[in-house]
């Protein structure tokens, strides 16, 4: 349904009152798993989260946070922040970027759309550049989609192709970059056999090159620009495989943080800078870590760093990354149309909303929560606060991150009496979990638990209600396991550290002095998932959710 002509008025809930402040707390990367030494949430002291689980069993439940429950192609897909927060905020399950790109490639529709027709104009005399994350993680991009696009573009006239890779090690095992580069090199060599001039042109680790988010550190994007567009980087190699293998051999190197490199020819010249007349596609379907590069590629008046040379290109995103900014203006696949989110309904029904996280997760409780839409629905009723994140460090060196500061902002917002909903994301379990540092992740989980306490204490003081949940798993399992659940060992006999998210369910806990005493979780929803949370939150504000929202998780017994 288009947003115009929508009736925004939500019916009153027959039993639940309005006017109770509601704290919505999202613990990023906090799943439920069996207790063992690799479950950092179990190893950490988390008395607050433990008490929610053990104190009131009818007010604690588990919901699915991965796969089809959040609009991903299959139940083998782990959850992630984008799809998790989209589902939490929108209350419905939308086919997500990964799935939409799969369908567009399978049907061939990707090649008949405006985006492809636009970049195709460059194929005759220019180079097609593909820039993106090289892995099969399925969170930001997928290797098989790149492979299909390479084939499809070359069959449709692309004569010269340059791929600019970003190594992963975050959504997939560290070290897997080598195998992905080998696979891509094989594909490119097959294309060369068919007369297409196809090569990898540059690369670097995703967390050090290009894929920053929410403008935390523009240097990351600049390093990528220099290598990809200008063809300049501190490291030069003859092949990407040699690059990745050599750079990984440096002390403390890992896939996420490989330095930028360019591939050069025999005369030492970069093989694939972006030049006037070329076409560029950013391959990632997920928005948050591509928006900054999209701005650098698209905006004429860009001033975040000196681009030195701004080639006249035809640029398209795999998807449009920001519906509000219409960025990029050209794209190969239309993004999910996530409309009528709970945030928009609640604001339109008078719910004054405060949302807060630190920079690295700020867009999660705002942009993703609101259906990949930046900005406010109604400035007079909303306040979004960003606590600056540390930048230039890996979060295992400061695992408490800004959890305390976020909690204090939430506390102050609750105590101010100015807001009906106070929504936060606590990043620790996820951001530190991704570093693969088990000890630091334990500290991270404890810090998140302490932050929850500060918020719940404030809820207590104002007679409010809380709903505590998570967007997907991460910190509860830090080891790669076999089918039987046993930790897998690497060739040296060490455990294989899992830096990625998991397929685990996540908790939802409700409570607080403002919660009607008859409220408990229903038992009749077959497979409750994150999308059921929005209707639940609407109920806690005293409203009934729109009929097409996924069902509420709660029922109210008369008493
Ligand atoms: O972008 C990242 O950091 C990871 O690929 C996914 O983590 P997130 O989905 O929790 O942001
Ligand atoms: Mn997340
Ligand atoms: Mn994550």
């Amino acid at each position: 349904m288009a947003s115009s002509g929508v009736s925004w008025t939500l019916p009153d809930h027959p039993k639940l009152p309005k006017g109770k402040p509601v704290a919505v707390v999202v613990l990023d990367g906090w799943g439920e798993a069996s207790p063992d030494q690799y479950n950092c949430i179990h190893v950490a002291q988390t008395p607050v989260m433990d008490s929610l689980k053990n104190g009131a069993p009818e007010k604690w439940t588990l919901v699915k946070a991965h796969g089809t429950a959040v609009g991903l192609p299959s139940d083998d897909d782990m959850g992630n922040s984008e799809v998790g927060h989209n589902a939490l905020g929108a209350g419905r399950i939308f086919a997500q970027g990964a799935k939409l790109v799969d369908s567009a490639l399978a049907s061939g529709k990707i090649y008949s759309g405006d985006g492809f027709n636009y970049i195709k104009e460059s194929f005759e005399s220019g180079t097609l550049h593909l820039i993106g994350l090289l892995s099969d993680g399925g969170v930001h991009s997928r290797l098989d989609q790149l492979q299909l696009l390479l084939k499809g573009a070359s069959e449709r006239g692309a004569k010269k192709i340059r791929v600019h890779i970003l190594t992963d090690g975050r959504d997939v095992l560290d070290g897997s970059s080598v195998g992905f580069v080998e696979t891509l090199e094989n594909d490119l060599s097959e294309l060369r056999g068919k007369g297409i001039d196809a090569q990898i042109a540059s690369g670097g680790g995703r967390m050090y090159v290009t894929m920053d988010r929410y403008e935390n550190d523009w240097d990351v994007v600049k390093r990528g620009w220099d290598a990809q567009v200008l063809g300049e980087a501190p490291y030069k190699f003859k092949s990407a495989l040699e690059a990745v293998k050599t750079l990984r051999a440096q002390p403390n190197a890992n896939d996420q943080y490989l330095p930028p490199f360019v591939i050069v020819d025999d005369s030492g010249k970069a093989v694939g800078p972006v030049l006037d007349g070329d076409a560029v596609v950013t391959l990632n379907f997920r928005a948050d870590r591509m928006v900054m590069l999209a701005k650098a590629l698209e905006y004429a008046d860009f001033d975040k760093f000196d681009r030195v040379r701004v080639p006249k290109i035809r640029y398209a995103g795999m998807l449009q990354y920001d519906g509000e900014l219409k960025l990029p203006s050209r794209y190969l696949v239309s993004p999910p149309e996530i409309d009528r989110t709970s945030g928009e309904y609640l604001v339109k029904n008078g719910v004054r909303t405060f949302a807060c996280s630190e920079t690295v997760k700020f867009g999660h409780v705002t942009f993703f929560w609101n259906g990949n839409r930046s900005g406010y629905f109604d400035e007079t009723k909303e306040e979004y606060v960003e606590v600056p994140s540390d930048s230039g460090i890996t979060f295992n060196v400061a695992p408490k991150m800004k959890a305390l500061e976020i909690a204090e902002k939430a506390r102050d917002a609750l105590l101010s009496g100015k807001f009906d909903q106070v929504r936060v994301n606590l990043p620790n379990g996820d951001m530190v979990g991704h570093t693969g540092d088990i000890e630091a992740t334990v500290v991270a989980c404890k810090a998140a638990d302490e932050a929850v306490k500060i918020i719940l204490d404030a809820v207590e003081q104002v007679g409010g209600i809380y709903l505590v949940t998570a967007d997907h798993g991460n910190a509860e399992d830090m080891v790669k396991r076999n089918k039987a659940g046993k930790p897998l060992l690497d060739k040296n006999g060490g455990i294989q550290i899992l830096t990625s998210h998991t397929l685990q369910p996540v908790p939802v806990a409700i409570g607080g002095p403002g919660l009607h005493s008859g409220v408990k979780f229903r038992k009749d929803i077959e497979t409750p998932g994150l999308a059921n949370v929005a209707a639940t939150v609407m109920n806690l504000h005293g409203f009934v959710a729109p009929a097409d929202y996924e069902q509420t998780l709660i029922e109210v017994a008369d008493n």
Side-chain angles (χ1 to χ4, degrees):
M1 195 198 308
S3 293
S4 57
V6 172
S7 159
W8 289 104
T9 309
L10 294 171
D12 293 341
H13 193 282
K15 294 181 179 162
L16 297 176
K18 297 195 172 40
K20 305 280 181 194
V22 179
V24 179
V25 180
V26 181
L27 291 140
D28 213 294
W30 191 283
E32 177 72 11
S34 320
D36 74 5
Q37 61 187 306
Y38 305 115
N39 179 337
C40 292
I41 299 173
H42 162 71
V43 175
Q45 302 282 317
T46 56
V48 183
M49 290 302 287
D50 293 350
S51 74
L52 298 186
K53 179 176 174 184
N54 304 323
E58 75 288 1
K59 294 191 176 62
W60 186 93
T61 194
L62 289 173
V63 296
K64 270 183 81 175
H66 78 285
T68 51
V70 285
L72 290 169
S74 91
D75 282 337
D76 295 330
D77 291 306
M78 61 195 162
N80 69 69
S81 289
E82 176 184 47
V83 299
H85 286 79
N86 281 170
L88 285 165
R92 287 148 296 153
I93 302 163
F94 290 85
Q96 286 286 348
K99 203 165 160 179
L100 298 172
V101 174
D102 283 346
S103 322
L105 283 164
S107 66
K109 280 205 176 123
I110 197 167
Y111 304 115
S112 54
D114 292 349
F116 191 80
N117 281 324
Y118 174 67
I119 56 160
K120 210 170 132 191
E121 296 283 308
S122 298
F123 289 0
E124 192 49 43
S125 52
T127 301
L128 169 62
H129 298 265
L130 303 171
I131 307 177
L133 183 64
L134 183 72
S135 80
D136 63 2
V139 173
H140 295 268
S141 68
R142 277 215 329 267
L143 171 64
D144 59 334
Q145 295 178 347
L146 165 61
Q147 293 176 300
L148 288 172
L149 192 61
L150 278 169
K151 184 168 177 291
S154 58
E155 285 168 359
R156 287 165 182 80
K159 297 189 177 67
K160 186 169 174 187
I161 303 177
R162 292 292 180 264
V163 188
H164 302 265
I165 63 167
L166 300 163
T167 54
D168 191 345
R170 188 171 176 91
D171 299 326
V172 290
L173 292 186
D174 182 45
S176 58
S177 62
V178 176
F180 293 126
V181 170
E182 275 167 349
T183 305
L184 177 59
E185 290 283 29
N186 282 338
D187 284 28
L188 296 173
S189 128
E190 272 181 35
L191 286 180
R192 288 197 292 276
K194 293 183 184 148
I196 316 270
D197 173 6
Q199 261 185 281
I200 296 177
S202 77
R206 56 173 286 174
M207 299 302 285
Y208 192 63
V209 177
T210 301
M211 284 175 60
D212 186 43
R213 66 176 160 210
Y214 308 139
E215 311 206 356
N216 194 41
D217 185 359
W218 276 103
D219 282 348
V220 176
V221 186
K222 180 179 166 19
R223 284 192 276 269
W225 180 273
D226 290 351
Q228 296 141 3
V229 178
L230 306 180
E232 288 165 12
Y235 292 93
K236 296 183 173 56
F237 292 94
K238 288 283 168 54
S239 88
L241 196 56
E242 185 199 344
V244 169
K245 282 186 173 165
T246 312
L247 295 172
R248 276 193 55 80
Q250 294 186 344
N252 300 322
N254 61 49
D255 288 349
Q256 296 190 55
Y257 285 89
L258 290 188
F261 60 86
V262 291
I263 305 304
V264 293
D265 61 17
D266 291 338
S267 64
K269 212 170 131 228
V271 300
V274 181
L275 303 172
D276 284 353
D278 288 353
V280 175
V281 172
T282 44
L283 287 169
N284 292 14
F285 43 73
R286 176 162 148 177
D288 56 348
R289 294 193 185 275
M290 273 295 122
V291 162
M292 294 166 74
L293 173 58
K295 286 182 177 167
L297 288 167
E298 182 141 316
Y299 287 169
D301 58 353
F302 178 86
D303 62 359
K304 301 299 181 183
F305 58 83
D306 180 4
R307 289 178 292 181
V308 181
R309 183 171 60 75
V310 186
K312 290 191 186 60
I313 54 166
R314 291 175 174 267
Y315 165 49
M318 182 65 102
L319 258 70
Q320 184 166 65
Y321 300 127
D322 189 322
E324 197 65 12
L325 301 177
K326 305 262 178 284
L327 181 78
S329 53
R330 313 279 182 153
Y331 46 93
L332 303 187
V333 178
S334 298
E337 272 180 50
I338 306 178
D339 61 352
R340 298 185 300 110
T341 60
S342 61
E344 186 163 13
Y345 270 110
L346 289 171
V347 166
K348 288 195 158 80
N349 283 271
V351 171
R352 298 161 303 163
T353 303
F354 177 89
C356 174
S357 189
E358 63 174 280
T359 311
V360 292
K361 295 286 181 185
F362 176 65
H364 288 37
V365 272
T366 55
F367 175 79
F368 285 152
W369 191 275
N370 294 334
N372 299 351
R373 183 189 185 282
S374 46
Y376 292 115
F377 295 111
D378 179 348
E379 279 184 59
T380 67
K381 297 202 180 67
E382 292 167 281
E383 187 178 338
Y384 297 168
V385 172
E386 175 184 341
V387 177
S389 285
D390 293 325
S391 69
I393 60 160
T394 54
F395 287 101
N396 56 331
V397 305
K400 297 185 177 171
M401 301 183 65
K402 304 294 178 211
L404 178 66
E405 290 83 342
I406 296 165
E408 286 173 351
K409 297 267 186 232
R411 176 199 63 201
D412 295 348
L414 282 161
L415 299 184
S416 75
K418 289 200 288 198
F419 299 102
D420 306 297
Q421 181 177 118
V422 170
R423 184 168 78 226
V424 298
N425 174 300
L426 298 170
N428 311 62
D430 183 67
M431 293 302 288
V432 187
H434 280 303
T435 68
D437 181 333
I438 292 183
E439 251 172 65
T441 307
V442 170
V443 177
C445 292
K446 187 166 186 293
D449 192 70
E450 285 164 4
V452 175
K453 178 164 190 338
I454 293 171
I455 299 169
L456 299 197
D457 285 350
V459 167
E460 193 70 31
Q461 276 191 55
V462 298
I465 300 172
Y466 61 77
L467 182 145
V468 181
T469 188
D471 59 342
H472 52 75
N474 184 338
E476 80 288 354
D477 198 4
M478 297 290 288
V479 68
K480 176 99 176 149
R481 296 174 190 270
N482 65 15
K483 288 234 161 66
K486 281 244 161 59
L488 284 172
L489 302 182
D490 61 22
K491 8 184 219 311
N492 307 321
I495 55 148
Q496 285 195 34
I497 291 284
L498 189 74
T499 52
S500 72
H501 299 167
T502 69
L503 303 176
Q504 295 302 121
V506 299
V508 183
I510 49 173
L515 186 66
H516 183 296
S517 58
V519 170
K520 57 181 182 192
F521 282 123
R522 295 161 60 169
K523 298 259 186 288
D524 61 337
I525 302 179
E526 222 171 285
T527 40
L530 288 178
N532 297 90
V533 169
T536 313
V537 171
M538 284 175 161
N539 292 169
L540 300 178
H541 283 291
F543 296 106
V544 174
D548 65 342
Y549 267 45
E550 294 294 322
Q551 289 170 290
T552 176
L553 293 167
I554 56 175
E555 60 189 6
V556 190
D558 290 316
N559 53 10

